[in-house]
Amino acid sequence: MNINNNKQLGFDELDELVRPAPEVVEFEEVANKMVSRRGFLGGGVAVGAGAFVMGSTTLAAGKAMAASAEESRLAFSMVKANALDTITVPEGYKWEVLASWGDPLFSNAPAFDAATGGTGASQELAFGDHNDGMAFFSKDGKQIMAINNEYTNEKTLHANRADGMPANADDVRKNKAAHGVSIIEVAQRGGKWGIVQDSPYNRRITADTEMDITGPARGHKWMQTSEDPKGLVAKGTWNNCGNGQTPWGTYLTCEENFNGYFTANDKNYKMPEAFKRYGMSTEGRYNWAMADARFDLVKEPNEPNRFGYVVEIDPLDPTSRPKKRTALGRFKHENAELTIAANGHVVVYLGDDERGEFLYRFVSKNKYLAGGNNRDLLEEGTLYVAKFHDNNRGEWLALTPKTTGMTDAEISIHTRMAASKVGATTMDRPEWVAAHPHKAEVYCSLTNNKNRGVKPNAGGDATPASGPNPRVKNNFGQIVRWTPMDSDHTHNEFKWDLFVLAGNPAVYDDANAGSKNVNQDNMFNSPDGLKFDSKGLLWIQTDGNYSNEKGFQGQGNNQMLVGDPETGEIRRFLVGPKESEITGATWNAARTTMFIGVQHPGEGGNSHWPNGGNSVPRSSVIAISREDGAVIG
């Protein structure tokens, strides 16, 4: 197996190449118990070992599905699925590009060079690649955005290299600089949104930016390296996927597939079991070790322990240093959904995006004080992991020295192992979490899991088809929601159901057809990004199979939909260009513009978005607005 020959694979597929999970034949019995769609959607009907209930509010009463246009809160005409190489939005809406990979942030930076992908120096002064999660901030009339740059398209970033791989130290510098976070001031000039070049707020946070290690792991022996013998200062952040935002004005960027960047060229190197649990390989995806010894597992065996965290950044203070918040655990973070509980404690919901991994909750030790000094509330607290029961109840299991037999530092560094110890529920790739803005209700996208009921997770934990993960070999995904008891986000018990089970009713008539609020007009697969707007509507973004063939026939390119939690109605709002995923969402202060990301268009070589013709495809952030200038979201 050679990772470098598998660049078009997603990170989860690469994980399975380097660490194939063993087959588990006893789960085959579960697959044989799958029922028809009619029985599956009957509300409270057992599926495998679990119960499925569609909707805790009006869905269970059978409302919503027949909502007329007059009754609907989704005030737009649904966009049809398609496979076009453009952005499709409803009638009465328009879109424009705000920023694309390689756009200069400063007037002294060179223009984007499609022929070579630029240099290390130019990339450090330009917008990063593969934008994902994002947030909008305002200060003194200025409008600032923090935007994740998850990973890169090697064929375009290294267009002057035949194999698309870094060939020298400057290539590595460029590749590292294309990762991380882009912080930019934006403005609307002449009716069009764009980057304000030379703004004092503009900066790049990359794989080389120094940041403080905080929380239980700070100074631990597993965090110590030759460059940082005290284990206090990490260098860099990468594979920044989802995000969060705090009420004290900071940005939370989440490190996801950090494992694919390290190598070990020594044939005698023996991979530690803890590294295997996190999908480490002796082959790196980007060859960074050729120019940076930090990425050589033989030379720096503790370096990987310093990544896989939530990083807190102050985008309004260009002189501030980011902080790695190890109290929120180490795993493949998707996003960090923060809410303030009624009792004042900060609660952060966190998904670990890998097949069969877990859903977490962090509760701060101290309480939030409006107008007070809240800057270190994410430094101390208790981490919990979710246990879902088949009776539509669940509980949060505390990860403490008493429950795990591990120290606080060990829990924060080897969080997956701690969660396995307490018997948490293995999930179908828990990705974005979104908390309802008007009531204590939380949603999580479970993107898909082809191993459900077939293989255990990387830690050997069983993955039975039950509870919120009811389908064997789940190719379509679902969205689970829960309500904490007593409407208290710090309560350790909750009730759950499924808001939607994605599927294809044009091809299937069993459980793969999806739930009742999925039909041939609004069907989709692999829900990923989730974001609530100010009206309490749920925006759903997809990152799935865009082949438009076989079981996915008629679903077209990846898309963004809007769901109404009160009725269950879902409408498609947007379709992205070829071979892209739709990522991240935020609004300007007036809510007249919605910003979303379009990531890796043309990853298979079949797109020239956004500039068309024979141009190089470029990940970009777009601005969407109504033609009448009214509020959107």
Side-chain angles (χ1 to χ4, degrees), residues 97-106 108-114 116-131 149 151-152 156-157 174 177-179 182 184 195 197 204 610-611 616-621:
V97 173
L98 168 74
S100 297
W101 160 58
D103 283 351
L105 306 189
F106 304 94
N108 64 343
F112 172 70
D113 185 349
T116 66
T119 65
S122 69
Q123 184 59 68
E124 289 169 350
L125 301 174
F127 191 76
D129 201 2
H130 280 31
N131 45 267
N149 299 116
Y151 62 112
T152 65
T156 53
L157 183 68
K174 176 172 65 172
H179 286 71
S182 297
I184 56 176
I195 297 172
Q197 285 193 348
R204 288 298 323 285
N611 298 319
V616 170
R618 299 164 70 187
S619 293
S620 304
V621 175

Side-chain angles (χ1 to χ4, degrees), residues 23-166:
E23 298 287 345
V24 180
V25 295
E26 57 262 34
F27 287 157
E28 293 178 3
E29 182 180 354
V30 178
N32 295 328
K33 293 182 179 179
M34 292 301 290
V35 296
S36 68
R37 186 184 191 222
R38 181 177 180 182
F40 182 75
L41 299 174
V45 176
V47 181
F52 175 86
V53 176
M54 185 56 200
S56 60
T57 54
T58 54
L59 288 180
K63 290 184 180 181
M65 301 314 135
S68 67
E70 290 75 23
E71 296 171 327
S72 175
R73 292 201 297 156
L74 310 183
F76 61 89
S77 299
M78 183 158 56
V79 168
K80 292 183 178 180
N82 65 67
L84 302 175
D85 195 26
T86 188
I87 300 289
T88 309
V89 293
E91 182 179 356
Y93 291 80
K94 60 183 179 179
W95 66 273
E96 60 182 304
V97 173
L98 168 74
S100 297
W101 160 58
D103 283 351
L105 306 189
F106 304 94
S107 58
N108 64 343
F112 172 70
D113 185 349
T116 66
T119 65
S122 69
Q123 184 59 68
E124 289 169 350
L125 301 174
F127 191 76
D129 201 2
H130 280 31
N131 45 267
D132 204 296
M134 64 186 77
F136 197 95
F137 300 83
S138 300
K139 182 179 181 180
D140 299 330
K142 305 290 187 181
Q143 303 175 96
I144 297 97
M145 292 184 69
I147 304 167
N148 288 348
N149 299 116
E150 187 175 1
Y151 62 112
T152 65
N153 183 335
E154 296 79 41
K155 290 184 178 180
T156 53
L157 183 68
H158 302 292
N160 55 336
R161 307 297 179 210
D163 61 356
M165 290 295 294

